[in-house]
Structures are given as C-alpha cells and as structure tokens.
Amino acid sequence: MKAWENNIRKVVPYTPGEQPKLKNIIKLNTNENPYPPSPLVLEELSKMDYEKFRLYPDPEVKELNVAIANSLGVSEDMVFTGVGSDDVISMIFMTFFNSDKPILFPEISYSFYSVWANLHRVPYETVRLDDDFNIVVSDFNKTNGGIIFPNPNAPTSKYLSLDLVEEIIKNNSESIVVVDEAYIDFGGESAIGLISKYDNLLVVQTFSKSRSMAGLRIGYAIGNNRLIAALNDVKFSFNSYTMNMAAIKLGTAAIADKKYFEECCSKIIKTRQRTMAELEKLGFSFPDSKSNFIFATHKNKKAEEIFVKLKEKNIFVRYFKQPRIDNYLRITIGTDSQMDALITALKEIL
Ligand code: PMP
C-alpha cells in the first residue's frame, strides 16, 4: 500500500435516485416536477446571447438574488444562491457546523445529511421519530452543534406545523437551525417569516421541485445578513463562480412568473389528493402528504415486490432498504395521466 493511499479522504457517497436511459418510462422516483418550467424561461432561453458565454458569470449572482429577495419580501443581503440546495446545504455544513458537539437531524430524513457530516467531519446524532414518523420537538432539546431537518420531511412527506418549527428554533438559540424547505410549496407554511425574530435560523429552498428546474441546479438559503455574509465568505474561499450564466438568467425568468408557479403547484396538490384517495382504495396507507410525493405502504403486499413489478412495467418509484421504512414506497406526483397509469399498474400487481 502506498503512503498516499492513507491520505485519501474516505467517504461513502450519497446515492441519487436512478435516472434511467430508457424511453417511454413513467418516472416517479426523484420528486421532479412533471410539468415544464414557465414559458418565460423558454423565452429567456431563446434570447440568450451565446457570445457572452466566453465571459465569467457574475460571482455575486446579483440579478437572481434580487429577484428571489423581491419575490419573498426580504432584502438582497438575506439571500445566498447555490448549485441546487445540495450545494447550499453543503456550504452551510462547512460554514456553521464546526463545533465538537454533534449536529442533530431526524433518524429518517434526507440521507445526504449524514454524507455531508462525514465529508466535512462534523459529528452527528440522529433524533428518533415517533411511531407515526412525527418529529418530536422536545427530543431536540439537548446539547448540539447545529440542527437540520426538512419540512415537509423526506421521504416521509410529513409536515411539521410552523409553531413547532418555531419551538425548535427558540429552544436552540445557541445553535444554527436549518429548515430545509425543498417541498414547502406543496401545501406547507414557510419559516422565512421567522427570520426577523430569530438570528439562528436559515431556511433553504430550491427551484428543483416547485419550479420544475432540477436540471438547472438552483437552490438558495434565506437568513439574516450576518449568516449570509458568512456563507459568502466560505463560497468565495471555495469557488467564486458556482452559478453559471444560464442558471442566473433562467432562474430570474422563472421567478417572474408567479402565476405559472402557483398554477403548477395547485395542479400537483390536486393530483396528489386524488392519488391518495385511489391508493387508499387499493389498501395503501400513508402519512398525510404536504409534498409532491406520497410515502405509501400496503397492508399485505411487500413494498420491495411492488417496486420491482412496477419497474417491469416501466414505472419507476423510489424504494429505500432501510430500517423502519423498508416496507414503504416513495411515489412522486406526476401528471394526472401518469398517476392513472400507476393506479392501473398497481391494480394489476395487487
Ligand atoms: N433537500 C431535500 C429534503 C431533498 O429531498 C432534496 C432533493 N434530493 C434536496 C434537498 C436537494 O435538492 P436540489 O439540490 O435539487 O435543490
């Protein structure tokens, strides 16, 4: 063994959901939006001046940050943008989770959190969820070097009401609390309004789900200007040009189309409610979802078997072979016709 081999940073990477190369599949496995981005994005794309690509993009991402700030009613210095919320959260780990005390996150949660903790060498502890997958606020009342949780949680789809989110933030005023709101636009209430009250709060959101732009990679954190300045210091010590020119322009165009965004979210919510009713009739149960996916278990058919059989029919959903959730399927909400095809396939399988 060579000496340098001891110096390799050893990590177990995150496994993203499958992106099958097959054509004609129904893809309900990575919580993407089934609808295209706003037509304003296409318009902006067609106007794009390719000659400008020889220049570096704006390292301060000003145009997009201003658009996000205006749409949320916060000031520009409260916005930090990154290459999807994955990039933003990784920067948050690097910037704020630097104590010897463990950071806390739910035992069933976004599985990237433990990967970042290991990558950035941050100690962590997971916090148990109750039998119905609820976050128990008082369980976060212990020594910690920071807290992160998704709301709604993933993959359980469970939403924690804003008063309980606030309790976690209030009870942990000496730590940075990060609320990962990747799915908040599908029925939950954002914690952004609490930022003026709590200086330890960061809220992370993304263009990947509710704005149908997973492929463009845009995510952002909202927090008070001191936290955002600290994040920028780390970003500018790591890579000044995280956001490319196309993402800045097209993200700004997407923000301009509030009406399209709202219509898209309400269509998905409507399809979700209808799908939940259909699944229930077939013998599935699931937590009440406030996200763009349903976390379902069947009363007598094993989730893994359903997962395999759906795949044989070219319908992809997500299955996690993990303690407590290995009999559940995470099903992304697609179009109405995709969900009809799913229900038909499930009837055949069951
Ligand atoms: N947080 C949660 C809870 C997620 O499920 C995801 C999607 N995998 C992300 C963050 C990251 O999303 P993105 O990087 O596309 O913004």
Side-chain angles (χ1 to χ4, degrees), residues 33-39 41-42 210-213 260 264 267 335:
N33 196 309
Y35 301 108
S38 151
V41 174
L42 179 61
S210 53
R211 295 194 186 268
S212 312
M213 290 173 87
Y260 181 87
C264 222
K267 267 199 291 195
T335 60

Side-chain angles (χ1 to χ4, degrees), residues 36-44 67 71 207 210-213 249-265:
S38 151
L40 294 190
V41 174
L42 179 61
E43 203 181 304
E44 192 62 44
S71 77
F207 281 48
S210 53
R211 295 194 186 268
S212 312
M213 290 173 87
K249 278 272 173 228
L250 302 179
T252 305
I255 287 284
D257 203 346
K258 189 161 179 262
K259 184 164 172 275
Y260 181 87
F261 162 74
E262 285 169 356
E263 279 168 6
C264 222
C265 291

Side-chain angles (χ1 to χ4, degrees), residues 7-25:
N7 300 334
I8 296 175
R9 188 178 285 258
K10 306 216 174 37
V11 283
V12 180
Y14 170 74
T15 316
E18 214 176 329
Q19 294 292 347
K21 303 287 179 290
L22 299 165
K23 290 224 159 65
N24 300 321
I25 61 162

Side-chain angles (χ1 to χ4, degrees), residues 14 84-86 89 110 150 154 180 182-183 206 208-209 217:
Y14 170 74
S85 50
D86 281 342
I89 299 169
Y110 186 29
D180 175 357
Y183 304 102
T206 178
S208 297
K209 320 293 179 182
R217 311 304 300 129

